[in-house]
Amino acid sequence: MNRIEGRVKVTGLATYAAEYPVEDVAYCYPVQSTIARGRVTRVDAGAALAMPGVLAVLSVDDPPGLTGDADAELALFGSRDVVYRGQLVAAVVAGTYDEARAAADAVRVDYEPQAHDVRLRADHPGLYRPEVVNPNLAPDTEKGDVEAGLAAAAATVDVTYTTPPLHNNPMEPHAAVALWAEDGRLLVYDSTQGTSGDRDAIAKTFGLPPEQVRVVSRHVGGGFGSKGTTRPNAVLAALAARAAGRPVKVAFTRQQMFDLTGYRTPTIQRLRLGADADGRLTAVEHVGYVQSGRLVEFAEQTATPGRVMYATPALRTAHRLVRLDVATPSWMRAPGECPGMYALESAMDELAEAAGIDPVELRIVNEPTSEPDSGLPFSSRSLVTCLREGARRFDWDRREPAPGLRREGEWLVGTGVAASTYPARRWASRATVTVDEDGDFVVQVAAADIGTGARTVLTRIAADCLGVAPDRVHVELGDSDLPDAPVAGGSMGTASWGSAVVRACEALRADGGQGTADTTEEVRSDEELARHAFGAQFAEVRVSSVTGEIRVSRLLGVFAAGRILDAKLARSQFIGGMTMGMGMALMEETLTDDEFGGFLRRDLAQYHVPACADVPAVEAVWIDEQDGLLNPMGSKGIGEIGIVGTAAAIGNAVHHATGRRVRDLPITPAKILV
């Protein structure tokens, strides 16, 4: 299907958070801390208040009285303590955006700075084992004797890989418009990946019952996880509207987004792998070191993919976390699996070379019969099929095993492979289906379309279930007043919302007037199984022997993700994820400023992401995988698995082309030419 909302988007009629027509709207512009740690001693707003159009100045000098149990990142201006550079310490509300921005520059903030610590390192004295890692997993697991397995191995590797801070950069910035009604009800037009959860978080922050808050977010210009939880822009807009007595709009700049909307934690990952003479793993150890801020603990689940991937008699995974004077990391496309599989799949490539075994065959001979860590049976697992199909399509059998042998003029050419995985989850959701006066069907669910095509796929799911043409189905989403729905994240949106839509359609067919569904009990009673999507990525790269320039000439992804509900939407998601993985491999990097704290490279002129010219040939295909143990559609999420494995495939291809193994992302010409 074509996108249901395609026409309104390409004609500019789709309304995003900052674009809703609201009368008498004012504008709010934030003031950010210029120190990484310390206290605010004074905020001088006198000059700002005297400027034209200024309505109010919010600051830590006059705490707004938010509830004591508000999330620490949303309790704006409630404390004089500064715990990272870029933290919000004040904000100006004015009649126009330019007036608010000019007045924000006039606010003077005095600080009592303290020494800060912003550098993640594997020997940091503050490292500790968190109680859980995201979303609610054990930080450490162990089975078998890893040391004995390594000692008995015919081939071993002991390697450390690092990834830098990475930033979600959705096209639409984080923005919100807030309006307080006379009855005290709050309406927020927010750029969010989930209106139900956003409503609850905002209500909790202001001490309101959830029914007193409404969040509307009908179109979202990307999120990649950064809009998966409530961000300060929504709370700031509501605070400013209350102070000014009129609607207020907040739209973060690109630079502010780097500070205030989350990022992927840097990682340090040590892997020790051993294999016998036939390539079968004897031991796997994966230890991940990650950081969090001081406001909220965020423990990325970096080492968890090893619990899923390969058969081994000895397996140890561990996480160590340190709280630094930095902004809190947050969700970014395939959190945990993306950096974790980069390191694991790169180490597997190194093990294949050490053992003298083809990298595809190494993965195949270590295919498990059940989930390695838990022992649970898989609902379905088609990784070997993906690897074999990808190898066939990529002419893998013609590949020279040794690196550095293929050359075309100044260009060294190499190919690489990596596997990918992502959990296939679903959460409880509600939905309603009714028949309108024209005999068409109206589906209501508080889902979010963040650019992935949620409207379209839910339309198709409902039409298939009702046995009608898609143009007779009309989906309403993006409003917290609709039936509650979980966030568009974790590759579980379609599985969660779609389950509720199917059950509501079934109820309508049985009743005839209206169908409602709440899948809480159904999800709770799901059989305990290991549910995951799998895939294999193949990359061909060309590396200039003169400049070190790296070009990805071909990317192929082969995926097993249950039933593919719509081919056009699926291809878009897969190639989008793979393109993002290419950016991770070769370009994306934010530097941490040791002297002043905060991040360097704070805009898209310095933080590079792939352009069309960087992706000349990317291909995504999938196998026919039947899995009736997932949800009524038999589908697995596809929004994130495309990024998983791509960086490793490219890194492995660079090694095959040059003989140089770059273990610290991104892979740049300078690292090639060292």
Side-chain angles (χ1 to χ4, degrees):
M1 289 176 61
N2 289 325
R3 296 288 184 101
I4 296 296
E5 80 283 7
R7 184 176 181 83
V8 297
K9 282 185 173 177
V10 300
T11 57
L13 296 176
T15 306
Y16 293 84
E19 299 174 336
Y20 283 88
V22 177
E23 291 185 6
D24 197 31
V25 68
Y27 295 80
C28 181
Y29 195 88
V31 178
Q32 298 177 263
S33 166
T34 57
I35 65 170
R37 186 174 185 179
R39 285 181 60 81
V40 175
T41 58
R42 186 174 73 106
V43 177
D44 183 357
L49 287 168
M51 295 178 69
V54 173
L55 302 172
V57 175
L58 311 174
S59 79
V60 297
D61 270 3
D62 185 17
L66 298 173
T67 58
D69 61 347
D71 183 282
E73 290 205 304
L74 302 179
L76 303 184
F77 316 128
S79 170
R80 291 183 176 275
D81 292 333
V82 174
V83 295
Y84 67 92
R85 185 182 179 93
Q87 179 180 324
L88 294 181
V89 294
V92 173
V93 190
T96 70
Y97 178 82
D98 289 337
E99 289 171 342
R101 185 165 186 167
D105 286 340
V107 174
R108 295 292 171 256
V109 183
D110 295 332
Y111 301 96
E112 184 181 274
Q114 300 172 9
H116 59 260
D117 182 4
V118 296
R119 180 62 59 180
L120 172 67
R121 60 182 198 272
D123 61 350
H124 196 290
L127 285 165
Y128 67 97
R129 182 178 67 184
E131 290 188 11
V132 295
V133 294
N134 300 328
N136 190 28
L137 304 173
D140 296 2
T141 62
E142 186 166 2
K143 74 167 188 178
D145 190 332
V146 169
E147 301 302 330
L150 292 171
T156 62
V157 296
D158 183 345
V159 291
T160 298
Y161 282 82
T162 71
T163 60
L166 301 173
H167 281 265
N168 325 57
N169 267 292
M171 187 178 295
E172 179 200 15
H174 291 66
V177 180
L179 305 81
W180 290 90
E182 291 184 3
D183 62 0
R185 195 171 196 227
L186 173 62
L187 169 61
V188 182
Y189 297 104
D190 192 14
S191 184
T192 176
Q193 292 176 224
T195 57
S196 299
D198 202 29
R199 171 203 61 203
D200 293 346
I202 293 171
K204 179 181 177 181
T205 302
F206 284 89
L208 298 171
E211 59 269 19
Q212 283 292 100
V213 178
R214 181 187 179 193
V215 175
V216 175
S217 184
R218 294 193 178 95
H219 296 280
V220 182
F224 311 109
S226 68
K227 299 173 183 174
T229 56
T230 301
R231 291 300 177 190
N233 57 288
V235 174
L236 182 58
L239 285 174
R242 188 170 69 180
R246 57 195 273 196
V248 170
K249 180 183 299 187
V250 172
F252 285 160
T253 66
R254 183 66 56 178
Q255 291 84 356
Q256 290 163 352
M257 287 167 59
F258 275 74
D259 296 323
L260 299 170
T261 63
Y263 61 97
R264 196 191 301 280
T265 174
T267 72
I268 302 169
Q269 302 177 59
R270 184 185 180 192
L271 290 107
R272 296 195 296 161
L273 282 66
D276 64 19
D278 295 324
R280 290 183 171 82
L281 289 166
T282 59
V284 172
E285 181 185 56
H286 189 173
V287 182
Y289 302 88
V290 295
Q291 73 184 34
S292 187
R294 299 198 185 275
L295 286 176
V296 176
E297 182 185 86
F298 186 89
E300 182 135 330
Q301 67 278 26
T302 310
T304 56
R307 305 173 187 179
V308 174
M309 287 305 297
Y310 300 115
T312 176
L315 172 64
R316 180 191 299 150
T317 66
H319 297 82
R320 296 297 178 264
L321 179 68
V322 63
R323 306 287 288 271
L324 300 173
D325 303 308
V326 296
T328 306
S330 189
W331 311 99
M332 184 171 177
R333 198 172 199 168
E337 281 76 13
C338 179
M341 283 293 283
Y342 158 69
L344 176 61
E345 290 300 292
S346 299
M348 286 289 286
D349 201 67
E350 297 204 50
L351 183 63
E353 184 178 34
I357 297 174
D358 178 81
V360 171
E361 290 304 313
L362 177 68
R363 290 164 171 84
I364 290 173
V365 300
N366 287 290
E367 175 72 0
T369 55
S370 61
E371 190 175 57
D373 180 62
S374 69
L376 290 171
F378 290 100
S379 65
S380 59
R381 179 180 169 117
S382 305
L383 175 58
V384 169
T385 305
C386 292
L387 287 163
R388 293 203 186 282
E389 177 63 13
R392 183 189 69 80
R393 288 172 175 265
F394 219 71
D395 294 326
W396 190 261
D397 57 344
R398 299 181 185 178
R399 180 183 190 259
E400 290 284 352
L405 297 182
R406 185 178 167 193
R407 189 179 187 119
E408 297 177 5
E410 73 176 67
W411 297 93
L412 302 169
V413 183
T415 53
V417 64
S420 53
T421 186
Y422 200 78
R425 303 186 181 98
R426 66 168 174 162
W427 280 4
S429 182
R430 298 176 180 175
T432 299
V433 183
T434 55
V435 182
D436 67 15
E437 59 185 15
D438 296 323
D440 287 350
F441 300 89
V442 178
V443 177
Q444 294 182 314
V445 56
D449 195 329
I450 59 175
T452 54
R455 279 182 184 81
T456 307
V457 75
L458 291 176
T459 297
R460 183 159 192 159
I461 289 170
D464 287 349
C465 189
L466 294 168
V468 300
D471 60 6
R472 291 191 58 200
V473 175
H474 309 285
V475 173
E476 296 179 2
L477 48 69
D479 189 330
S480 66
D481 278 0
L482 297 172
D484 281 3
V487 67
S491 291
M492 63 184 182
T494 298
S496 303
W497 313 322
S499 295
V501 168
V502 167
R503 299 308 182 212
C505 289
E506 291 172 344
L508 175 69
R509 293 174 65 179
D511 179 85
Q514 175 175 300
T516 62
D518 181 342
T519 62
T520 301
E521 291 304 318
E522 178 180 332
V523 172
R524 186 178 293 145
S525 62
D526 276 345
E527 183 181 354
E528 192 174 6
L529 296 168
R531 296 176 173 86
H532 305 272
F534 291 94
Q537 278 97 327
F538 293 77
E540 179 187 81
V541 303
R542 296 170 181 268
V543 183
S544 170
S545 59
V546 178
T547 66
E549 176 187 356
I550 304 163
R551 289 290 181 185
V552 179
S553 47
R554 185 183 176 196
L555 268 179
L556 168 68
V558 182
F559 301 99
R563 177 189 170 203
I564 298 300
L565 299 175
D566 186 275
K568 187 177 292 187
L569 294 177
R571 179 180 179 274
S572 175
Q573 285 297 291
F574 286 138
I575 66 173
M578 292 167 67
T579 302
M580 199 168 174
M582 191 182 82
M584 174 184 177
L586 303 179
M587 304 172 187
E588 296 188 46
E589 179 182 28
T590 302
L591 303 178
T592 301
D593 189 332
D594 287 331
E595 183 175 1
F596 298 105
F599 295 122
L600 304 171
R601 299 184 180 172
R602 294 159 44 83
D603 56 39
L604 294 179
Q606 301 173 81
Y607 185 96
H608 295 162
V609 297
C612 290
D614 296 310
V615 194
V618 56
E619 181 183 7
V621 298
W622 46 87
I623 65 170
D624 181 17
E625 184 179 62
Q626 304 296 319
D627 189 334
L629 301 174
L630 298 166
N631 52 61
M633 299 81 63
S635 64
K636 299 177 180 180
I638 61 174
E640 291 166 283
I641 193 171
I643 192 175
V644 179
T646 299
I650 291 172
N652 294 338
V654 169
H655 171 261
H656 185 241
T658 65
R660 180 173 295 282
R661 180 73 64 176
V662 179
R663 299 190 180 97
D664 305 301
L665 291 186
I667 305 169
T668 61
K671 295 173 184 176
I672 294 292
L673 296 176
V674 168

